[in-house]
Structures are given as C-alpha cells and as structure tokens.
C-alpha cells in the first residue's frame, strides 16, 4: 500500500519502521522543521527525520501542512498515517486518501485526548492505558475508533518506560489496522464524547510540586512528568528537581518538611503521608542520591521545600 507518514517524536519511530518492515511503500515522510535547541541553539532534527533518513525515505518539513495540499495529493497515497505530527490537519488534507488518515493515539479513547496522553495517565495514577487507532477528523482526537489494545501501568513505571512499551504496541496495532481496512474487516466505532477526558500539552508549571497533596499523588507526578517538565520544588531559594521517589511509611512531618530517617531523605506530604526522595538534582548541579544531597546540605531543624 502507498502511504504518506506524518510524525515527529520518538514515539512515532516504531510505527514508521513497522510500515517499512511490513512492505508498505512509504512515499513521503512529513515531520516538523528542524528547531534550535539547547544553550548553543543548534538546529535539532526530530527522531522521525533521523529514522526516515536512515531508512532512505524522502523527508518533507513544511512550516504549515495546509500549504502543501497539492504536494500531498501528488503521492497518490491510499492511506496516510499520523503519529504525533504536531499540527492539526485541514479538511482538504483529510479528504485526500481513499482509506483516510489513520492516527495512532497513546490512550484508550475517548480518554486522554490531546498532546500528552501517556504523561497524564501516569501522573493521574491510572493503572491501565493502551493504544487506539482512529480515523482523523477535523476535531482533536475525536474521530471514529478502529482498533484498541490495552496494557497495565506498573506502579513504579515512568513516562519514558511506558512510552517505549506503548510505541511498540502502537506499531503492531497500526499494521493490523491497515491490513484489516484493506480487507474491509473494520467497522469504525464512534467515540462516546460524553466520556472524554483531556491530556493537554505540558507546561513548566505543571511540574511544580504541591506538598499538601498526599504522597502517592506526588509520586505519580514524579513518574509522569519525567523528564519534562520534571517534578520541581525549591530548597534554600534555588530550584530542586525530584528525579525519583517512592511513598514512605514515615509520617508526622509537615507538608514540605525534610528529615533524615535511617539514612533516607524524607519529605512530608499532605494527609499525614511522606515521600522518600531517592534521587534529586539541585539547580545548576548534577543529579545525586537523596542521601548524598542530605549529607551535603546539612539540613537544619524544620527546614523544608517549596518556600
């Protein structure tokens, strides 16, 4: 099958590779333009572009896809595949392919529509999630569903770990979906919009820890917001990232208060709960264990985080 692929993040690479491995003709790969990144502001290419170049596929990087409708039509694709492309598609593009535009979305739709479904599922403490293939329409993840696959979320699993598993699952589901569509074996299922929930793009402030929340909720945010925006707080007027943590049986600490218990760095949380800080990163310094941080900081009595 002739396919045009549109994607940008690492999550999309598995799907692109799977299309090639399954023998589909990927006529073109569309991804976001190279962007300046880091302190040196050097141009950074997307993971999908790197994969496409490695696979010998032609790459296109328009600023706005609505300006290249004729170009897209010229490939004569039977279907288009979108995995985290990063742009809303106009109806003129949606109407191009006979089989439509197939999206691989990392949630069990209609749950977690939006740009960050994996992060929010982990941050909200979900124990199950999955992947849905759907036909794109003019809305935000509102199109008819084609196939679903479910997966459990580990109690200590982080966003990067879960993302890798879902990316592999999504690639398999994509190939299965395309094969079944070609044979006319799929009846698209409309979403129940009344059951929808959102997973908006993450902002820096989403990572700021509210120590009045119970420990399990903060722990979930640490897992879900790794590596960006990170779970952040303030210690002695400077930023502090909480890179790894676990719920502790310790208690009787005010929210945000720090204490050393059996060589472990413990932070008080809401509802009388506590969190063990396993790994942290002070602003402008390297990541260290919670124990090493506490030893170097020489905590004072009643000293804490978030002020």
């Amino acid at each position: 099958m002739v396919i045009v692929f549109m994607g940008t993040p690492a999550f999309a690479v598995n799907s692109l590779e799977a299309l090639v491995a399954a023998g589909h003709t990927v006529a073109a790969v569309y991804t976001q333009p190279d962007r300046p990144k880091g302190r040196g502001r050097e141009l950074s290419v997307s993971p999908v572009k790197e994969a496409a170049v490695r696979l010998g596929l032609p790459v296109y990087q328009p600023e706005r896809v609505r300006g290249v409708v004729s170009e897209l039509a010229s490939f004569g694709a039977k279907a288009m595949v979108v995995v985290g492309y990063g742009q809303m598609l106009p109806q003129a593009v949606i109407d191009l392919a006979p089989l439509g535009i197939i999206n691989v979305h990392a949630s069990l739709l209609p749950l977690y529509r939006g740009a960050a479904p994996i992060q929010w599922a982990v941050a909200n403490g979900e124990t199950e999630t999955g992947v849905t293939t759907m036909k794109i329409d003019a809305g935000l993840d509102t199109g008819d569903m084609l196939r679903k696959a479910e997966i459990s979320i580990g109690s200590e699993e982080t966003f990067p770990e879960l993302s890798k598993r879902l990316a592999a699952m999504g690639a398999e589901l994509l190939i299965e979906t395309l094969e079944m569509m070609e044979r006319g074996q799929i009846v698209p299922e409309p979403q129940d919009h009344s059951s929808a929930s959102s997973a908006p793009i993450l902002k820096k402030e989403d990572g700021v820890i509210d120590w009045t929340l119970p420990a399990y909720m903060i722990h979930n945010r640490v897992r879900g917001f790794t590596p960006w925006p990170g779970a952040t707080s303030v210690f002695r007027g400077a930023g502090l990232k909480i890179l790894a943590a676990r719920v502790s049986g310790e208690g009787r600490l005010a929210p945000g208060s720090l204490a050393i218990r059996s060589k472990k760095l413990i932070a008080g949380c809401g509802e009388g709960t506590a969190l063990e800080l396993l790994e942290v990163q002070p602003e402008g310094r390297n990541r260290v264990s919670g124990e090493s941080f506490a030893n170097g900081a020489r905590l004072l009595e009643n000293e804490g985080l978030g002020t």
Side-chain angles (χ1 to χ4, degrees), residues 16 33 45 52 70 73 107 138-140 150 152 158 186 203-204 216 254-255 258 265 279 284:
L16 177 59
V45 304
S70 296
S107 79
L140 178 61
E150 298 182 12
S152 296
T158 64
I186 290 183
K203 305 181 296 295
K204 187 174 181 179
Y216 77 90
L258 293 173
L265 179 59
E279 193 172 14

Side-chain angles (χ1 to χ4, degrees), residues 95-148:
D95 293 338
L96 287 177
L99 286 183
I101 302 182
I102 315 307
N103 176 236
V104 179
H105 186 77
S107 79
L108 298 174
L109 290 171
L111 301 177
Y112 293 104
R113 295 173 176 172
I118 307 175
Q119 294 97 319
W120 283 110
V122 176
N124 288 341
E126 301 286 0
T127 58
E128 291 185 350
T129 187
V131 178
T132 305
T133 51
M134 55 163 278
K135 292 190 74 171
I136 282 184
D137 62 12
L140 178 61
D141 301 328
T142 56
D144 290 350
M145 300 176 293
L146 301 171
R147 300 286 291 168
K148 283 186 179 183

Side-chain angles (χ1 to χ4, degrees), residues 1-3 5 13-26 55 57 81 170-180 182-183:
M1 186 190 305
V2 178
I3 289 172
F5 184 88
V13 171
N14 287 64
S15 291
L16 177 59
E17 292 174 337
L19 288 170
V20 174
H24 293 287
T25 299
V26 181
L55 294 167
L57 302 173
V81 172
E172 292 180 6
L173 195 66
L174 170 62
I175 301 306
E176 175 188 304
T177 299
L178 289 172
E179 290 175 351
M180 294 181 69
E182 272 200 297
R183 296 194 297 263

Side-chain angles (χ1 to χ4, degrees), residues 190-225:
Q191 295 187 44
D192 177 5
H193 302 302
S194 67
S195 299
S197 60
S198 64
I201 190 168
L202 291 169
K203 305 181 296 295
K204 187 174 181 179
E205 52 264 34
D206 290 323
V208 177
I209 297 173
D210 177 359
W211 293 102
T212 65
L213 294 174
Y216 77 90
M217 293 184 68
I218 298 174
H219 177 234
N220 291 337
R221 281 159 171 72
V222 172
R223 297 189 297 124
F225 296 156

Side-chain angles (χ1 to χ4, degrees), residues 142-164:
T142 56
D144 290 350
M145 300 176 293
L146 301 171
R147 300 286 291 168
K148 283 186 179 183
E150 298 182 12
I151 196 171
S152 296
I153 303 176
S155 60
E156 301 295 327
E157 196 166 21
T158 64
F159 157 67
E161 294 166 343
L162 180 58
S163 183
K164 287 181 180 179

Side-chain angles (χ1 to χ4, degrees), residues 50 56 185 189 211 220 269-270 278:
E50 290 181 343
Q185 295 176 332
E189 177 187 352
W211 293 102
N220 291 337
C269 305
L278 299 172

